[in-house]
Amino acid sequence: RLWALFHVLSPSLCHSFLQHKLCVPLFSSHNLNKSVYEVGEEVEYTCRPGFIPNNGQRKYTCLPTGKWPLNTLLCLPKRCPTIGPLPNGKIDFVDLHYQTRCSCYSSNNLTLKLLFPCAFPAVTCAPPSLPEFSVLSYRRSKPGNVSHFLDTITFECVPPLALIGNETATCMANGNWSSIPECRVVTCPTPTGIENGFFEFVVRRTYHYNESVSFACQPNYVLEGPKHSRCEKTGNWSTKPTCKGPCKIPVKKAVVLYNGEKKRVQNDLKDGVQHGETVSFFCKNKEKSCAYTVPVPCVDGNLTLPACFKERGFFSSLVKKDPSDMKPCEDQE
Ligand SMILES: *[C@@H]1O[C@H](CO)[C@@H](O)[C@H](O)[C@H]1NC(C)=O
Ligand SMILES: *[C@@H]1O[C@H](CO)[C@@H](O)[C@H](O)[C@H]1NC(C)=O
Ligand SMILES: *[C@@H]1O[C@H](CO)[C@@H](O)[C@H](O)[C@H]1NC(C)=O
Ligand SMILES: *[C@@H]1O[C@H](CO)[C@@H](O)[C@H](O)[C@H]1NC(C)=O
Ligand SMILES: *[C@@H]1O[C@H](CO)[C@@H](O)[C@H](O)[C@H]1NC(C)=O
Ligand SMILES: *[C@@H]1O[C@H](CO)[C@@H](O)[C@H](O)[C@H]1NC(C)=O
Ligand SMILES: *[C@@H]1O[C@H](CO)[C@@H](O)[C@H](O)[C@H]1NC(C)=O
Ligand SMILES: *[C@@H]1O[C@H](CO)[C@@H](O)[C@H](O)[C@H]1NC(C)=O
Protein backbone atom coordinates (compact mmCIF):
# COMPACT_ATOMS: atom_id res chain seq x y z
CA ARG A 1 0.00 0.00 0.00
CA LEU A 2 1.44 3.33 -0.92
CA TRP A 3 0.34 6.07 1.33
CA ALA A 4 1.22 9.44 -0.08
CA LEU A 5 2.27 11.74 2.66
CA PHE A 6 2.32 15.12 1.06
CA HIS A 7 2.83 17.48 3.93
CA VAL A 8 5.17 16.59 6.71
CA LEU A 9 5.73 19.65 8.82
CA SER A 10 8.41 19.03 11.35
CA PRO A 11 8.14 21.47 14.29
CA SER A 12 11.87 21.41 14.89
CA LEU A 13 12.40 23.15 11.56
CA CYS A 14 10.32 26.19 12.52
CA HIS A 15 12.19 29.43 12.90
CA SER A 16 12.34 32.07 15.59
CA PHE A 17 12.44 35.48 14.06
CA LEU A 18 13.65 38.89 15.34
CA GLN A 19 12.47 39.88 18.81
CA HIS A 20 8.99 38.52 18.50
CA LYS A 21 8.25 35.08 17.26
CA LEU A 22 7.11 34.36 13.72
CA CYS A 23 6.26 31.14 12.01
CA VAL A 24 7.65 30.21 8.60
CA PRO A 25 5.60 27.79 6.56
CA LEU A 26 7.74 25.03 5.25
CA PHE A 27 5.48 23.96 2.46
CA SER A 28 3.79 26.14 -0.02
CA SER A 29 0.17 25.70 -0.79
CA HIS A 30 -1.99 27.69 -3.13
CA ASN A 31 -3.60 29.57 -0.25
CA LEU A 32 -0.32 30.44 1.45
CA ASN A 33 1.29 33.51 0.02
CA LYS A 34 3.18 34.87 2.95
CA SER A 35 6.67 33.92 3.90
CA VAL A 36 6.29 34.56 7.64
CA TYR A 37 3.32 34.38 9.98
CA GLU A 38 2.64 36.14 13.29
CA VAL A 39 1.82 34.22 16.42
CA GLY A 40 -1.87 33.40 16.34
CA GLU A 41 -2.15 33.55 12.54
CA GLU A 42 -3.75 30.60 10.92
CA VAL A 43 -2.88 28.65 7.80
CA GLU A 44 -4.96 26.12 6.06
CA TYR A 45 -3.36 23.32 4.13
CA THR A 46 -4.93 21.61 1.20
CA CYS A 47 -3.83 18.61 -0.72
CA ARG A 48 -2.29 18.97 -4.12
CA PRO A 49 -4.53 18.39 -7.11
CA GLY A 50 -4.89 14.68 -7.57
CA PHE A 51 -4.68 14.06 -3.83
CA ILE A 52 -7.40 14.05 -1.25
CA PRO A 53 -7.17 14.68 2.49
CA ASN A 54 -7.60 11.44 4.34
CA ASN A 55 -6.82 12.21 7.90
CA GLY A 56 -5.66 14.91 10.28
CA GLN A 57 -6.11 18.59 10.73
CA ARG A 58 -6.06 21.13 7.93
CA LYS A 59 -5.86 24.37 9.95
CA TYR A 60 -2.83 25.28 12.03
CA THR A 61 -2.12 28.28 14.24
CA CYS A 62 1.33 29.77 14.69
CA LEU A 63 2.23 29.01 18.34
CA PRO A 64 3.72 31.56 20.79
CA THR A 65 6.97 29.57 20.53
CA GLY A 66 7.22 30.46 16.84
CA LYS A 67 6.55 26.88 15.91
CA TRP A 68 3.71 25.20 14.15
CA PRO A 69 1.87 22.36 15.76
CA LEU A 70 2.73 18.95 14.39
CA ASN A 71 1.15 18.63 10.99
CA THR A 72 -1.03 15.61 10.89
CA LEU A 73 -2.63 16.10 7.51
CA LEU A 74 -2.37 13.01 5.37
CA CYS A 75 -2.99 13.36 1.66
CA LEU A 76 -3.65 10.28 -0.39
CA PRO A 77 -3.59 10.09 -4.14
CA LYS A 78 -7.02 9.85 -5.63
CA ARG A 79 -8.01 6.48 -6.84
CA CYS A 80 -8.92 5.74 -10.36
CA PRO A 81 -12.63 6.27 -9.80
CA THR A 82 -13.51 3.00 -11.49
CA ILE A 83 -10.85 0.89 -9.89
CA GLY A 84 -13.37 -1.54 -8.46
CA PRO A 85 -15.00 -4.06 -10.74
CA LEU A 86 -15.26 -2.26 -14.07
CA PRO A 87 -17.94 -3.89 -16.19
CA ASN A 88 -16.69 -4.40 -19.73
CA GLY A 89 -13.70 -2.25 -19.02
CA LYS A 90 -10.13 -2.53 -18.05
CA ILE A 91 -7.74 -0.65 -15.86
CA ASP A 92 -4.42 -0.10 -17.46
CA PHE A 93 -1.68 0.40 -14.92
CA VAL A 94 1.10 2.27 -16.57
CA ASP A 95 3.23 2.10 -13.47
CA LEU A 96 2.36 0.97 -10.02
CA HIS A 97 4.47 3.37 -8.04
CA TYR A 98 3.49 6.33 -6.00
CA GLN A 99 2.50 9.34 -8.06
CA THR A 100 2.68 7.52 -11.34
CA ARG A 101 -0.38 7.41 -13.42
CA CYS A 102 -2.99 4.94 -14.43
CA SER A 103 -5.72 5.12 -16.97
CA CYS A 104 -9.16 3.65 -16.95
CA TYR A 105 -10.75 2.58 -20.18
CA SER A 106 -14.26 1.64 -21.02
CA SER A 107 -14.97 -1.27 -23.29
CA ASN A 108 -15.94 0.99 -26.16
CA ASN A 109 -12.31 2.10 -26.24
CA LEU A 110 -13.15 5.57 -25.03
CA THR A 111 -10.94 6.74 -22.26
CA LEU A 112 -13.05 7.47 -19.25
CA LYS A 113 -10.42 9.04 -17.10
CA LEU A 114 -6.88 9.39 -18.13
CA LEU A 115 -3.82 10.10 -16.06
CA PHE A 116 -5.08 9.87 -12.56
CA PRO A 117 -2.45 9.34 -9.94
CA CYS A 118 -2.57 5.67 -9.22
CA ALA A 119 -3.70 4.50 -5.88
CA PHE A 120 -4.25 1.04 -4.64
CA PRO A 121 -7.46 0.10 -3.00
CA ALA A 122 -6.63 -0.75 0.58
CA VAL A 123 -7.86 -4.29 0.15
CA THR A 124 -6.38 -7.42 1.56
CA CYS A 125 -7.21 -10.89 0.37
CA ALA A 126 -7.78 -13.54 2.97
CA PRO A 127 -5.73 -16.67 2.43
CA PRO A 128 -7.55 -18.93 -0.02
CA SER A 129 -9.75 -21.24 1.99
CA LEU A 130 -8.35 -24.70 1.54
CA PRO A 131 -9.38 -27.73 3.52
CA GLU A 132 -7.00 -28.97 6.17
CA PHE A 133 -4.35 -31.35 4.78
CA SER A 134 -5.31 -30.20 1.31
CA VAL A 135 -3.46 -31.58 -1.70
CA LEU A 136 -3.37 -27.97 -2.90
CA SER A 137 -0.98 -25.57 -1.20
CA TYR A 138 0.24 -22.08 -1.95
CA ARG A 139 3.06 -19.70 -1.19
CA ARG A 140 3.09 -15.94 -1.30
CA SER A 141 5.36 -14.28 -3.78
CA LYS A 142 6.14 -11.56 -1.23
CA PRO A 143 7.28 -12.13 2.32
CA GLY A 144 4.70 -11.60 5.05
CA ASN A 145 1.45 -13.25 5.87
CA VAL A 146 -0.94 -10.66 4.46
CA SER A 147 -1.81 -10.26 0.78
CA HIS A 148 -2.68 -6.88 -0.64
CA PHE A 149 -4.18 -5.75 -3.89
CA LEU A 150 -2.20 -7.11 -6.88
CA ASP A 151 -0.08 -9.43 -4.73
CA THR A 152 0.18 -12.92 -6.15
CA ILE A 153 0.32 -16.41 -4.73
CA THR A 154 1.54 -19.56 -6.41
CA PHE A 155 -0.18 -22.89 -5.99
CA GLU A 156 1.25 -26.37 -5.91
CA CYS A 157 -0.28 -29.81 -5.87
CA VAL A 158 1.02 -32.76 -3.92
CA PRO A 159 2.69 -35.08 -6.47
CA PRO A 160 1.64 -36.95 -8.52
CA LEU A 161 -1.50 -34.83 -8.79
CA ALA A 162 -1.60 -32.34 -11.66
CA LEU A 163 -2.51 -28.70 -11.14
CA ILE A 164 -5.38 -27.84 -13.45
CA GLY A 165 -6.05 -24.13 -13.89
CA ASN A 166 -3.92 -21.12 -13.26
CA GLU A 167 -0.89 -21.70 -11.09
CA THR A 168 -0.80 -18.07 -9.93
CA ALA A 169 -3.64 -16.03 -8.50
CA THR A 170 -3.77 -12.28 -8.01
CA CYS A 171 -5.44 -10.44 -5.14
CA MET A 172 -8.18 -8.46 -6.84
CA ALA A 173 -9.78 -5.17 -5.92
CA ASN A 174 -12.83 -6.97 -4.52
CA GLY A 175 -10.69 -8.88 -2.02
CA ASN A 176 -11.03 -12.21 -3.82
CA TRP A 177 -8.33 -14.21 -5.49
CA SER A 178 -8.49 -14.15 -9.29
CA SER A 179 -8.72 -17.94 -9.54
CA ILE A 180 -8.01 -21.04 -7.54
CA PRO A 181 -6.83 -24.12 -9.40
CA GLU A 182 -7.54 -27.72 -8.53
CA CYS A 183 -5.47 -30.87 -8.22
CA ARG A 184 -6.46 -33.86 -10.30
CA VAL A 185 -5.26 -37.37 -10.91
CA VAL A 186 -3.94 -37.56 -14.47
CA THR A 187 -2.70 -40.73 -16.08
CA CYS A 188 -1.09 -41.38 -19.43
CA PRO A 189 -1.45 -44.64 -21.37
CA THR A 190 1.38 -47.03 -22.13
CA PRO A 191 3.76 -44.98 -24.24
CA THR A 192 4.40 -45.99 -27.81
CA GLY A 193 7.92 -46.66 -29.00
CA ILE A 194 10.00 -44.81 -31.57
CA GLU A 195 11.44 -46.03 -34.86
CA ASN A 196 14.98 -47.42 -34.63
CA GLY A 197 14.99 -46.83 -30.90
CA PHE A 198 13.87 -48.42 -27.64
CA PHE A 199 12.85 -47.62 -24.06
CA GLU A 200 15.72 -47.53 -21.64
CA PHE A 201 13.67 -49.08 -18.85
CA VAL A 202 10.80 -51.51 -18.61
CA VAL A 203 7.54 -49.84 -19.55
CA ARG A 204 4.54 -49.88 -17.23
CA ARG A 205 0.90 -49.90 -18.23
CA THR A 206 0.03 -46.48 -16.84
CA TYR A 207 1.93 -43.44 -15.77
CA HIS A 208 0.94 -40.49 -13.63
CA TYR A 209 1.40 -36.83 -14.40
CA ASN A 210 5.04 -35.74 -14.67
CA GLU A 211 6.42 -39.29 -14.75
CA SER A 212 8.73 -39.87 -17.66
CA VAL A 213 10.17 -42.55 -19.90
CA SER A 214 13.55 -42.30 -21.60
CA PHE A 215 14.60 -43.45 -25.02
CA ALA A 216 17.77 -44.64 -26.68
CA CYS A 217 18.60 -45.45 -30.31
CA GLN A 218 19.85 -48.57 -32.05
CA PRO A 219 23.61 -48.67 -32.69
CA ASN A 220 24.77 -46.09 -35.27
CA TYR A 221 21.52 -44.16 -34.93
CA VAL A 222 21.64 -40.71 -33.40
CA LEU A 223 19.00 -39.48 -30.93
CA GLU A 224 17.53 -36.10 -31.77
CA GLY A 225 15.16 -34.19 -29.49
CA PRO A 226 14.53 -34.64 -25.77
CA LYS A 227 15.74 -37.96 -24.37
CA HIS A 228 12.75 -38.08 -22.01
CA SER A 229 9.07 -37.94 -22.73
CA ARG A 230 6.85 -36.79 -19.86
CA CYS A 231 3.24 -37.56 -19.00
CA GLU A 232 1.50 -34.20 -19.39
CA LYS A 233 -1.58 -32.67 -17.77
CA THR A 234 -3.58 -33.46 -20.89
CA GLY A 235 -2.90 -37.18 -20.40
CA ASN A 236 -0.66 -37.15 -23.44
CA TRP A 237 3.05 -37.79 -23.72
CA SER A 238 5.31 -34.86 -24.47
CA THR A 239 7.28 -34.84 -27.72
CA LYS A 240 9.39 -37.93 -28.17
CA PRO A 241 12.86 -38.00 -29.70
CA THR A 242 13.61 -39.49 -33.11
CA CYS A 243 16.49 -41.73 -34.15
CA LYS A 244 18.36 -40.50 -37.18
CA GLY A 245 20.03 -43.06 -39.41
CA PRO A 246 23.64 -43.42 -40.60
CA CYS A 247 24.71 -42.74 -44.21
CA LYS A 248 26.48 -45.12 -46.55
CA ILE A 249 28.91 -43.25 -48.71
CA PRO A 250 27.64 -43.82 -52.27
CA VAL A 251 31.03 -44.43 -53.94
CA LYS A 252 33.12 -47.57 -54.21
CA LYS A 253 36.56 -46.03 -53.96
CA ALA A 254 37.66 -42.59 -52.91
CA VAL A 255 39.87 -40.77 -50.47
CA VAL A 256 37.91 -38.28 -48.41
CA LEU A 257 38.49 -35.99 -45.47
CA TYR A 258 36.73 -37.23 -42.32
CA ASN A 259 37.28 -35.63 -38.91
CA GLY A 260 40.23 -33.76 -40.44
CA GLU A 261 41.97 -36.91 -41.64
CA LYS A 262 42.24 -38.54 -45.04
CA LYS A 263 40.31 -41.81 -45.10
CA ARG A 264 39.78 -44.46 -47.72
CA VAL A 265 36.06 -44.98 -48.12
CA GLN A 266 36.53 -48.62 -49.13
CA ASN A 267 38.56 -49.45 -46.00
CA ASP A 268 37.88 -46.95 -43.23
CA LEU A 269 34.30 -45.87 -43.91
CA LYS A 270 32.74 -49.17 -45.01
CA ASP A 271 30.02 -48.74 -42.37
CA GLY A 272 29.33 -45.20 -43.44
CA VAL A 273 29.10 -42.19 -41.15
CA GLN A 274 26.56 -41.13 -38.53
CA HIS A 275 23.80 -38.60 -38.81
CA GLY A 276 25.17 -35.09 -38.30
CA GLU A 277 28.71 -35.96 -39.38
CA THR A 278 30.40 -34.37 -42.39
CA VAL A 279 32.57 -35.89 -45.10
CA SER A 280 34.67 -33.70 -47.41
CA PHE A 281 35.22 -34.86 -50.98
CA PHE A 282 38.17 -33.82 -53.15
CA CYS A 283 37.37 -32.12 -56.45
CA LYS A 284 39.84 -31.21 -59.19
CA ASN A 285 40.38 -27.81 -60.74
CA LYS A 286 41.76 -28.84 -64.16
CA GLU A 287 43.04 -25.41 -65.30
CA LYS A 288 45.05 -24.82 -62.16
CA SER A 289 45.72 -28.54 -61.59
CA CYS A 290 44.94 -28.28 -57.96
CA ALA A 291 42.31 -29.87 -55.69
CA TYR A 292 39.75 -28.42 -53.30
CA THR A 293 37.41 -30.01 -50.80
CA VAL A 294 33.63 -29.85 -50.60
CA PRO A 295 32.01 -30.86 -47.30
CA VAL A 296 28.66 -32.69 -47.35
CA PRO A 297 26.63 -33.67 -44.30
CA CYS A 298 24.93 -36.92 -43.46
CA VAL A 299 21.26 -36.10 -42.87
CA ASP A 300 19.22 -39.02 -41.55
CA GLY A 301 20.58 -41.59 -43.98
CA ASN A 302 21.02 -39.17 -46.89
CA LEU A 303 24.41 -38.04 -48.11
CA THR A 304 24.49 -36.30 -51.49
CA LEU A 305 27.77 -36.31 -53.41
CA PRO A 306 28.98 -32.89 -54.52
CA ALA A 307 28.45 -32.30 -58.25
CA CYS A 308 32.17 -31.66 -58.86
CA PHE A 309 33.18 -35.02 -57.43
CA LYS A 310 34.13 -37.65 -60.03
CA GLU A 311 34.49 -41.22 -58.99
CA ARG A 312 37.62 -42.62 -60.65
CA GLY A 313 37.55 -45.65 -62.87
CA PHE A 314 40.17 -48.39 -62.83
CA PHE A 315 42.21 -46.92 -65.72
CA SER A 316 42.34 -43.34 -64.52
CA SER A 317 43.39 -44.47 -61.05
CA LEU A 318 46.44 -46.12 -62.62
CA VAL A 319 47.64 -43.26 -64.74
CA LYS A 320 46.49 -40.13 -62.95
CA LYS A 321 47.11 -38.64 -59.57
CA ASP A 322 44.19 -38.83 -57.16
CA PRO A 323 42.80 -35.33 -56.42
CA SER A 324 43.53 -35.95 -52.74
CA ASP A 325 47.23 -36.06 -53.63
CA MET A 326 47.19 -32.87 -55.72
CA LYS A 327 48.29 -29.57 -54.31
CA PRO A 328 45.47 -27.70 -52.64
CA CYS A 329 44.04 -24.78 -54.58
CA GLU A 330 44.94 -21.44 -53.02
CA ASP A 331 41.42 -20.17 -52.75
CA GLN A 332 38.82 -22.87 -52.67
CA GLU A 333 35.96 -22.49 -55.07
C1 LIG B 1 -2.82 35.70 -1.78
O1 LIG B 1 -2.62 36.26 -3.05
C2 LIG B 1 -3.80 36.31 -3.82
C3 LIG B 1 -3.43 36.81 -5.18
O2 LIG B 1 -2.28 36.21 -5.62
C4 LIG B 1 -4.82 37.21 -3.16
O3 LIG B 1 -6.02 37.22 -3.91
C5 LIG B 1 -5.11 36.69 -1.76
O4 LIG B 1 -5.93 37.58 -1.08
C6 LIG B 1 -3.83 36.54 -1.01
N1 LIG B 1 -4.10 35.90 0.26
C7 LIG B 1 -3.65 36.39 1.38
C8 LIG B 1 -4.03 35.58 2.58
O5 LIG B 1 -2.98 37.38 1.43
C1 LIG C 1 -11.67 -1.43 -29.58
O1 LIG C 1 -10.54 -1.30 -30.43
C2 LIG C 1 -10.07 -2.51 -30.96
C3 LIG C 1 -8.82 -2.25 -31.76
O2 LIG C 1 -8.34 -0.98 -31.55
C4 LIG C 1 -11.17 -3.13 -31.84
O3 LIG C 1 -10.73 -4.36 -32.33
C5 LIG C 1 -12.42 -3.31 -31.02
O4 LIG C 1 -13.45 -3.78 -31.84
C6 LIG C 1 -12.83 -2.00 -30.37
N1 LIG C 1 -13.97 -2.26 -29.49
C7 LIG C 1 -15.10 -1.56 -29.58
C8 LIG C 1 -16.18 -1.98 -28.64
O5 LIG C 1 -15.23 -0.65 -30.35
C1 LIG D 1 1.43 -12.25 10.64
O1 LIG D 1 2.76 -11.87 10.85
C2 LIG D 1 2.94 -11.02 11.95
C3 LIG D 1 4.42 -10.65 12.00
O2 LIG D 1 5.00 -10.78 10.74
C4 LIG D 1 2.50 -11.71 13.22
O3 LIG D 1 2.60 -10.79 14.28
C5 LIG D 1 1.06 -12.15 13.08
O4 LIG D 1 0.66 -12.89 14.20
C6 LIG D 1 0.89 -12.99 11.85
N1 LIG D 1 -0.52 -13.29 11.67
C7 LIG D 1 -0.94 -14.51 11.40
C8 LIG D 1 -2.41 -14.65 11.23
O5 LIG D 1 -0.18 -15.45 11.28
C1 LIG E 1 -3.11 -16.55 -14.57
O1 LIG E 1 -3.61 -15.50 -13.80
C2 LIG E 1 -2.85 -14.31 -13.92
C3 LIG E 1 -3.43 -13.31 -12.96
O2 LIG E 1 -3.24 -13.79 -11.69
C4 LIG E 1 -2.92 -13.80 -15.34
O3 LIG E 1 -2.12 -12.66 -15.47
C5 LIG E 1 -2.41 -14.88 -16.26
O4 LIG E 1 -2.56 -14.47 -17.59
C6 LIG E 1 -3.15 -16.16 -16.03
N1 LIG E 1 -2.53 -17.22 -16.83
C7 LIG E 1 -3.23 -18.01 -17.61
C8 LIG E 1 -2.44 -19.03 -18.34
O5 LIG E 1 -4.43 -17.92 -17.72
C1 LIG F 1 -15.68 -13.48 -3.79
O1 LIG F 1 -15.76 -14.90 -3.90
C2 LIG F 1 -16.86 -15.46 -3.23
C3 LIG F 1 -16.73 -16.95 -3.28
O2 LIG F 1 -16.25 -17.34 -4.51
C4 LIG F 1 -18.14 -14.96 -3.85
O3 LIG F 1 -19.24 -15.50 -3.17
C5 LIG F 1 -18.18 -13.46 -3.76
O4 LIG F 1 -19.30 -12.97 -4.45
C6 LIG F 1 -16.92 -12.85 -4.36
N1 LIG F 1 -16.92 -11.45 -4.11
C7 LIG F 1 -16.94 -10.57 -5.08
C8 LIG F 1 -16.93 -9.15 -4.66
O5 LIG F 1 -16.90 -10.89 -6.26
C1 LIG G 1 8.30 -32.90 -12.54
O1 LIG G 1 9.38 -33.76 -12.32
C2 LIG G 1 10.64 -33.13 -12.31
C3 LIG G 1 11.68 -34.18 -12.10
O2 LIG G 1 11.57 -35.18 -13.05
C4 LIG G 1 10.69 -32.10 -11.21
O3 LIG G 1 11.91 -31.41 -11.27
C5 LIG G 1 9.54 -31.12 -11.39
O4 LIG G 1 9.53 -30.22 -10.32
C6 LIG G 1 8.23 -31.86 -11.47
N1 LIG G 1 7.20 -30.89 -11.77
C7 LIG G 1 6.06 -30.87 -11.13
C8 LIG G 1 5.10 -29.81 -11.54
O5 LIG G 1 5.79 -31.67 -10.24
C1 LIG H 1 -4.12 -35.14 -26.10
O1 LIG H 1 -4.88 -36.31 -26.21
C2 LIG H 1 -6.22 -36.09 -26.59
C3 LIG H 1 -6.92 -37.44 -26.54
O2 LIG H 1 -6.73 -37.98 -25.27
C4 LIG H 1 -6.27 -35.47 -27.97
O3 LIG H 1 -7.59 -35.22 -28.34
C5 LIG H 1 -5.49 -34.19 -27.96
O4 LIG H 1 -5.42 -33.66 -29.25
C6 LIG H 1 -4.10 -34.41 -27.43
N1 LIG H 1 -3.46 -33.14 -27.27
C7 LIG H 1 -2.24 -32.90 -27.71
C8 LIG H 1 -1.70 -31.55 -27.43
O5 LIG H 1 -1.61 -33.73 -28.30
C1 LIG I 1 16.35 -38.69 -47.81
O1 LIG I 1 16.09 -39.20 -49.07
C2 LIG I 1 14.79 -39.69 -49.22
C3 LIG I 1 14.68 -40.34 -50.56
O2 LIG I 1 15.54 -39.76 -51.47
C4 LIG I 1 13.83 -38.55 -49.10
O3 LIG I 1 12.50 -39.01 -49.22
C5 LIG I 1 14.01 -37.93 -47.75
O4 LIG I 1 13.20 -36.79 -47.63
C6 LIG I 1 15.44 -37.52 -47.55
N1 LIG I 1 15.61 -37.09 -46.20
C7 LIG I 1 16.27 -35.98 -45.93
C8 LIG I 1 16.35 -35.69 -44.50
O5 LIG I 1 16.75 -35.25 -46.77
Side-chain angles (χ1 to χ4, degrees), residues 31-333:
N31 60 345
L32 302 181
N33 40 9
K34 289 166 69 169
S35 57
V36 289
Y37 285 79
E38 302 269 358
V39 171
E41 272 198 289
E42 191 176 68
V43 295
E44 183 170 351
Y45 282 100
T46 54
C47 292
R48 264 205 302 215
F51 291 77
I52 49 169
N54 173 269
N55 212 317
Q57 225 180 309
R58 294 171 72 161
K59 290 187 175 167
Y60 295 91
T61 307
C62 180
L63 297 175
T65 53
K67 292 178 178 179
W68 296 104
L70 183 62
N71 188 320
T72 56
L73 180 64
L74 188 61
C75 293
L76 299 182
K78 281 181 185 163
R79 290 177 187 180
C80 258
T82 49
I83 199 146
L86 178 63
N88 306 318
K90 73 167 188 156
I91 298 169
D92 175 22
F93 289 98
V94 177
D95 191 332
L96 296 175
H97 290 98
Y98 165 50
Q99 282 193 345
T100 56
R101 297 169 182 283
C102 64
S103 342
C104 305
Y105 298 98
S106 65
S107 59
N108 59 5
N109 293 349
L110 297 174
T111 301
L112 293 176
K113 288 282 179 197
L114 200 56
L115 300 179
F116 256 80
C118 282
F120 301 99
V123 293
T124 55
C125 286
S129 58
L130 304 176
E132 213 183 340
F133 308 118
S134 173
V135 288
L136 182 66
S137 63
Y138 68 90
R139 56 190 157 75
R140 291 189 170 83
S141 45
K142 279 188 197 159
N145 54 12
V146 184
S147 300
H148 298 287
F149 180 51
L150 293 184
D151 283 352
T152 58
I153 51 177
T154 307
F155 291 96
E156 272 170 12
C157 290
V158 170
L161 299 180
L163 187 144
I164 308 294
N166 199 328
E167 188 188 48
T168 59
T170 305
C171 176
M172 299 189 302
N174 65 11
N176 272 1
W177 291 102
S178 56
S179 62
I180 296 185
E182 54 176 307
C183 300
R184 274 194 222 145
V185 176
V186 167
T187 56
C188 286
T190 313
T192 53
I194 56 172
E195 245 184 287
N196 302 307
F198 53 89
F199 295 106
E200 276 198 323
F201 302 100
V202 178
V203 169
R204 301 198 305 263
R205 264 219 332 243
T206 59
Y207 285 82
H208 282 111
Y209 166 63
N210 203 33
E211 289 184 313
S212 64
V213 290
S214 55
F215 292 92
C217 291
Q218 306 290 359
N220 291 325
Y221 281 76
V222 174
L223 188 117
E224 228 177 55
K227 186 171 169 59
H228 305 277
S229 178
R230 203 167 282 281
C231 175
E232 294 183 324
K233 286 176 188 177
T234 55
N236 297 1
W237 289 97
S238 67
T239 312
K240 290 171 187 162
T242 52
C243 292
K244 304 287 190 189
C247 299
K248 287 267 180 228
I249 296 176
V251 294
K252 287 204 189 76
K253 283 178 82 177
V255 174
V256 295
L257 217 51
Y258 174 69
N259 286 339
E261 285 175 31
K262 282 185 187 174
K263 298 279 182 194
R264 288 178 189 285
V265 167
Q266 60 275 27
N267 301 336
D268 308 321
L269 298 174
K270 279 202 294 274
D271 298 331
V273 297
Q274 290 200 341
H275 168 75
E277 291 185 322
T278 295
V279 178
S280 293
F281 289 84
F282 287 91
C283 290
K284 194 156 70 174
N285 180 327
K286 274 195 186 129
E287 292 96 72
K288 298 186 183 162
S289 42
C290 60
Y292 57 95
T293 56
V294 178
V296 293
C298 165
V299 182
D300 193 16
N302 292 14
L303 185 147
T304 310
L305 292 175
C308 63
F309 175 79
K310 299 272 184 313
E311 190 171 3
R312 314 183 67 217
F314 176 70
F315 180 69
S316 83
S317 64
L318 287 180
V319 299
K320 285 189 190 157
K321 231 182 186 179
D322 190 88
S324 64
D325 293 327
M326 293 171 76
K327 80 174 166 70
C329 298
E330 301 272 283
D331 37 81
Q332 291 223 332
E333 285 168 40

